[in-house]
Amino acid sequence: MSSMIHFWLHIFLPTLSPILLSSQEWYTERHISIQRQLADLEKLAFVTEGDFDSASSLNSDNLDAGNKQACPLCPKEKFRACNSHKLHRHLQNLHWKVSVEFEGYRMCICHLPCRPVKPNIIGEQISSKMGAHYHCIICSATITRRTDMLGHVRRHVNKGETKSTYIAASAAKPPNEILKEADTDVQVCPNYSVPQKTDSYFNPKMKLNRQLIFCTLAALAKERKPLECLDAFGATGIMGLQWAKHLGNAVKVTINDLNENSVTLIQENCHLNKLKVVVDSKEKEESDDIPEEGEENFGNIKVTKMDANVLMHLRSFDFIHLDPFGTSVNYLDSAFRNIRNLGIVSVTSTDISSLYAKAQHVARRHYGCNIVRTEYYKELAARIVVAAVARAAARCNKGIEVLFAVALEHFVLVVVRVLRGPTSADETAKKIQYLIHCQWCEERIFQKDGNMVEENPYRQLPCNCHGSMPGKTAIELGPLWSSSLFNTGFLKRMLFESLHHGLDDIQTLIKTLIFESECTPQVSFQFMHLQTSTKEYGVFIKTTDDTTTDSYNAQGKRRNNDKPPNLAKRLKTDVILNILPFYYNIHRHSIKGMNMPKLKKFLCCLSQAGFRVSRTHFDPMGVRTDAPLIQFKSILLKYSTPTYTGGQSEGHVQPASEDTVADTVEMSVNDKAEASGCRRR
């Protein structure tokens, strides 16, 4: 009988006790197990059937009256009625100590039959065990474990669903903010830059990434049109909106996202930029789509709500961009499944903790690659992603040509062109090799091809660290992409498109990539001075005959209607220089007790010595050169000045003999090896 009283007390208490609820009005919305103080929970034990009107007169003296009372949060079978001091101890130890706190309230554990429990059959008897649970203060959900309850409340807080925003239904949602990027308006949700707090993530720091991809698509649109383009993970749709708004009828844009809220936001952003929305191959007729007088409708955008892998299996595209939150390896096979010949696939990877060797086990799991932290870790990350892309293309009997690969602070971007045919796939697979890296002097070299097992692979390294020091001095990294990372002709066309569309932010980066691809010092734009040039934004720009029209000698065949009628049947490929793998950091190889020369001066010195040299975007103090490390250090020593001038005048160190320089460099290498021996082992 007592359990039934407590059950109906739990059900009807919020409506039958207006006097008791005068001090705590939230009883009408929250469960009785949610209290501010332990005394409030004890008062509920004195409210019995028929005593609701006198409950307001209870005070602390009534708690010591000596009457036996039952626990308000436990059934009779679990806790019998007892004296006040024993009840106080029971409520404090069983319910209050294991409660979950949120904004001054305590969500105590409840043993009442609020949550249905499946009966257990023990022999011939059926026992229904009462399950302990918590009542959520925000959404009234019942959670069984305390750790799960803590995580449940934390998710509410991350999404902004607190007492003031979730329970108060009458409160209006904060308006969405409108941002502008590259003459494109985009509506973003609150907390748009925090992935855990929003469904439609928008990162302002990725502006450089979006502009690079836009220039890539604009350069591809010069070859053939219209292009069918896919932004597989639209979020706010900013990237696809820029494509459709600035390239017009040259592209047919499809923006996809699996989240319903993101799809709705993409459609609203399309209307905001005066773009028509096509959903499920049917044009969505709305009054907002009709442009007013003086306004222009730029084009159509198809918005889909589908898994990216399914969409890329169902349809063919000329351009695909993959930018999931993290690694892209789960979508590479689908991307190369139906990509058209000579199409482009761009991959943005933001899992830099694994690619930059901070989480090596994750890199081994996602990319099947063994890596360590090196001075050239950013280029190592780019070659890891390209190798994963190449393997995915080869599985689909396709090869790739790397147009460019960029590794910056927040992302790694790889853009490749697809070449159909098993011959292209075989040539691509041959360019995936292992790297031998010396952990003492940071020298490195790609392992030679061959089926025979080499007895001493250390002989391939130019350094003699293995001969002068005992033990294993080198490790094998990879598999990595061993060929070029840049296509000079395509980068020049991207620079032209950035000038044409007024994208000033990425012009410096593209120029650095061009010089890095040619491995020449950044002195003048000689590639700009051509036979017939046009003036664009005050700069004379024109590409050579190799780069005016993209020329490709692909093994696969394209349909005749895909090529412009005025082009030859066989198009020639862009000239791709064999880029020197990796680079040296001038600070990493500085000589102890010497002041290094300026970077520009050092580049000129290497160039005058007959070596190819350039700066690299991977590292602001990096030098890409074909000079061996010994020659690199000897030239660095020659043009360095001692830190103590004493009686010497400032200037160059007197040139020493070749043997003296080599001995000094070797001694410096050995000193650094001994100093860092404990750390490397």
Side-chain angles (χ1 to χ4, degrees):
M1 182 65 183
S2 176
S3 61
M4 292 298 297
I5 293 176
H6 290 294
F7 176 76
W8 291 112
L9 172 65
H10 160 63
I11 299 297
F12 294 107
L13 177 61
T15 57
L16 298 179
S17 182
I19 300 177
L20 179 62
L21 302 185
S22 59
S23 60
Q24 296 174 335
E25 298 177 353
W26 47 268
Y27 277 174
T28 58
E29 296 182 354
R30 297 185 178 92
H31 192 259
I32 60 173
S33 61
I34 304 173
Q35 303 288 338
R36 282 189 179 274
Q37 298 177 357
L38 179 60
D40 298 333
L41 188 61
E42 292 177 357
K43 290 180 181 180
L44 296 178
F46 291 86
V47 180
T48 57
E49 187 176 7
D51 296 336
F52 297 111
D53 294 337
S54 60
S56 59
S57 61
L58 294 174
N59 49 37
S60 58
D61 298 335
N62 299 118
L63 299 178
D64 300 329
N67 298 328
K68 292 185 177 182
Q69 299 295 336
C71 176
L73 299 180
C74 294
K76 179 182 177 182
E77 294 79 7
K78 183 174 180 62
F79 184 80
R80 295 178 179 273
C82 60
N83 295 328
S84 59
H85 67 279
K86 188 176 181 181
L87 176 63
H88 174 81
R89 187 169 61 251
H90 166 79
L91 292 175
Q92 184 177 13
N93 296 335
L94 183 64
H95 296 282
W96 193 257
K97 279 188 177 181
V98 295
S99 61
V100 177
E101 187 176 2
F102 178 75
E103 293 187 355
Y105 292 97
R106 291 291 190 96
M107 291 173 278
C108 302
I109 191 168
C110 176
H111 293 273
L112 296 176
C114 313
R115 182 183 178 92
V117 180
K118 295 182 180 179
N120 297 327
I121 301 178
I122 304 175
E124 297 180 356
Q125 297 181 354
I126 299 178
S127 63
S128 58
K129 183 180 178 181
M130 297 297 179
H133 56 273
Y134 294 88
H135 290 266
C136 179
I137 190 174
I138 299 174
C139 63
S140 301
T142 54
I143 309 297
T144 54
R145 301 179 61 182
R146 187 175 186 274
T147 55
D148 296 340
M149 189 66 203
L150 292 171
H152 179 80
V153 174
R154 193 180 302 114
R155 285 190 292 271
H156 277 306
V157 175
N158 290 339
K159 293 182 179 180
E161 299 173 352
T162 57
K163 178 181 64 174
S164 58
T165 59
Y166 188 83
I167 296 179
S170 59
K173 294 183 178 180
N176 292 338
E177 184 180 355
I178 297 179
L179 304 178
K180 193 177 187 66
E181 181 180 300
D183 296 331
T184 304
D185 297 326
V186 57
Q187 188 178 186
V188 295
C189 300
N191 300 319
Y192 59 86
S193 60
V194 183
Q196 294 81 6
K197 295 186 179 182
T198 182
D199 296 328
S200 300
Y201 177 55
F202 178 80
N203 190 358
K205 296 180 181 179
M206 297 291 284
K207 179 181 179 181
L208 199 65
N209 176 276
R210 289 187 284 269
Q211 292 185 353
L212 283 171
I213 296 169
F214 174 81
C215 291
T216 301
L217 183 58
L220 180 64
K222 297 295 183 181
E223 303 172 13
R224 60 185 187 271
K225 58 183 70 172
L227 297 173
E228 294 191 21
C229 314
L230 171 65
D231 182 9
F233 303 90
T236 59
I238 177 64
M239 192 172 296
L241 293 173
Q242 292 177 353
W243 299 348
K245 192 167 185 178
H246 295 285
L247 299 179
N249 296 327
V251 294
K252 295 181 179 179
V253 180
T254 301
I255 305 178
N256 176 72
D257 203 290
L258 190 59
N259 186 273
E260 182 68 31
N261 297 332
S262 297
V263 172
T264 304
L265 187 62
I266 292 171
Q267 296 177 5
E268 294 177 357
N269 288 331
C270 291
H271 300 323
L272 187 63
N273 290 274
K274 306 299 185 294
L275 294 168
K276 290 184 180 180
V277 181
V278 178
V279 181
D280 295 331
S281 301
K282 296 181 181 179
E283 187 173 348
K284 188 176 181 180
E285 298 290 344
E286 291 187 7
S287 59
D288 297 338
D289 294 340
I290 303 176
E292 299 178 0
E293 186 177 356
E295 294 182 349
E296 181 182 359
N297 201 311
F298 295 97
N300 298 339
I301 291 182
K302 184 174 182 179
V303 181
T304 58
K305 178 182 175 296
M306 196 180 302
D307 185 86
N309 284 324
V310 176
L311 178 60
M312 290 184 289
H313 272 285
L314 294 177
R315 290 184 53 191
S316 299
F317 295 95
D318 298 288
F319 183 89
I320 295 177
H321 176 61
L322 302 176
D323 186 11
F325 187 72
T327 180
S328 303
V329 293
N330 299 329
Y331 306 94
L332 294 178
D333 290 335
S334 302
F336 286 99
R337 174 77 176 180
N338 285 329
I339 186 71
R340 294 195 176 102
N341 190 30
L342 304 183
I344 290 180
V345 175
S346 65
V347 178
T348 299
S349 299
T350 54
D351 55 333
I352 57 176
S353 61
S354 60
L355 291 174
Y356 290 172
K358 296 179 181 178
Q360 301 174 11
H361 62 286
V362 181
R364 189 178 296 109
R365 182 172 72 244
H366 287 167
Y367 300 95
C369 184
N370 178 40
I371 58 174
V372 295
R373 185 79 170 193
T374 62
E375 64 172 327
Y376 49 92
Y377 66 94
K378 286 190 176 181
E379 184 173 345
L380 199 67
R383 292 184 180 273
I384 290 173
V385 178
V386 176
V389 172
R391 289 195 297 267
R395 285 192 291 269
C396 298
N397 284 335
K398 296 181 178 69
I400 64 168
E401 173 194 347
V402 182
L403 300 180
F404 65 91
V406 176
L408 298 178
E409 182 181 358
H410 305 288
F411 64 90
V412 176
L413 173 63
V414 171
V415 178
V416 300
R417 187 185 291 273
V418 179
L419 306 175
R420 281 191 174 183
T423 305
S424 298
D426 294 339
E427 292 297 326
T428 298
K430 291 179 182 178
K431 298 176 182 178
I432 303 176
Q433 299 177 0
Y434 285 89
L435 183 76
I436 301 177
H437 169 81
C438 180
Q439 295 200 92
W440 299 100
C441 66
E442 297 272 349
E443 186 61 280
R444 76 291 302 214
I445 189 171
F446 280 106
Q447 193 171 3
K448 296 178 181 179
D449 294 332
N451 298 327
M452 303 301 293
V453 178
E454 190 171 356
E455 182 179 358
N456 187 7
Y458 300 104
R459 295 176 181 174
Q460 300 184 21
L461 287 168
C463 64
N464 60 347
C465 296
H466 180 65
S468 59
M469 285 175 284
K472 295 182 179 180
T473 59
I475 58 174
E476 190 179 65
L477 306 180
L480 307 172
W481 178 257
S482 62
S483 186
S484 176
L485 292 179
F486 306 104
N487 185 312
T488 308
F490 194 85
L491 288 172
K492 292 177 181 178
R493 291 198 298 278
M494 288 179 58
L495 180 60
F496 175 80
E497 295 299 332
S498 65
L499 292 168
H500 178 70
H501 293 280
L503 304 178
D504 301 331
D505 297 336
I506 63 168
Q507 292 174 15
T508 303
L509 176 59
I510 296 179
K511 292 175 185 177
T512 304
L513 295 178
I514 293 174
F515 289 120
E516 188 175 359
S517 65
E518 296 178 338
C519 203
T520 56
Q522 192 168 352
V523 180
S524 61
F525 279 108
Q526 296 181 358
F527 60 88
M528 300 294 216
H529 300 247
L530 304 162
Q531 299 176 356
T532 56
S533 57
T534 57
K535 192 172 183 180
E536 186 79 18
Y537 295 93
V539 180
F540 286 94
I541 300 291
K542 190 180 186 311
T543 54
T544 58
D545 292 338
D546 322 2
T547 61
T548 302
T549 57
D550 213 7
S551 308
Y552 294 92
N553 186 10
Q555 284 73 16
K557 295 182 179 180
R558 292 187 57 81
R559 298 188 301 270
N560 292 332
N561 55 359
D562 287 343
K563 294 189 295 184
N566 58 346
L567 292 182
K569 295 182 179 180
R570 279 296 192 185
L571 301 177
K572 299 179 181 179
T573 60
D574 279 338
V575 177
I576 305 175
L577 298 177
N578 189 13
I579 182 178
L580 303 172
F582 304 111
Y583 51 88
Y584 300 108
N585 185 286
I586 189 173
H587 285 296
R588 168 66 177 81
H589 300 285
S590 60
I591 310 301
K592 184 178 180 181
M594 306 291 285
N595 288 330
M596 298 183 306
K598 296 293 185 181
L599 183 59
K600 291 183 179 180
K601 181 180 179 180
F602 181 66
L603 294 177
C604 294
C605 295
L606 281 174
S607 181
Q608 292 173 2
F611 298 108
R612 293 173 58 191
V613 61
S614 71
R615 300 187 66 173
T616 175
H617 82 281
F618 292 111
D619 188 352
M621 298 304 295
V623 178
R624 189 181 297 278
T625 179
D626 59 347
L629 183 59
I630 296 296
Q631 296 291 335
F632 183 90
K633 282 180 168 291
S634 64
I635 296 176
L636 183 62
L637 175 64
K638 181 179 179 180
Y639 291 95
S640 298
T641 57
T643 54
Y644 55 92
T645 55
Q648 301 177 359
S649 59
E650 294 185 0
H652 298 307
V653 177
Q654 293 297 327
S657 62
E658 294 295 333
D659 297 337
T660 305
V661 171
D663 294 341
T664 305
V665 173
E666 189 66 28
M667 290 175 59
S668 176
V669 173
N670 294 336
D671 292 343
K672 286 193 174 182
E674 293 176 1
S676 59
C678 297
R679 177 177 58 85
R680 291 184 180 276
R681 291 178 186 175

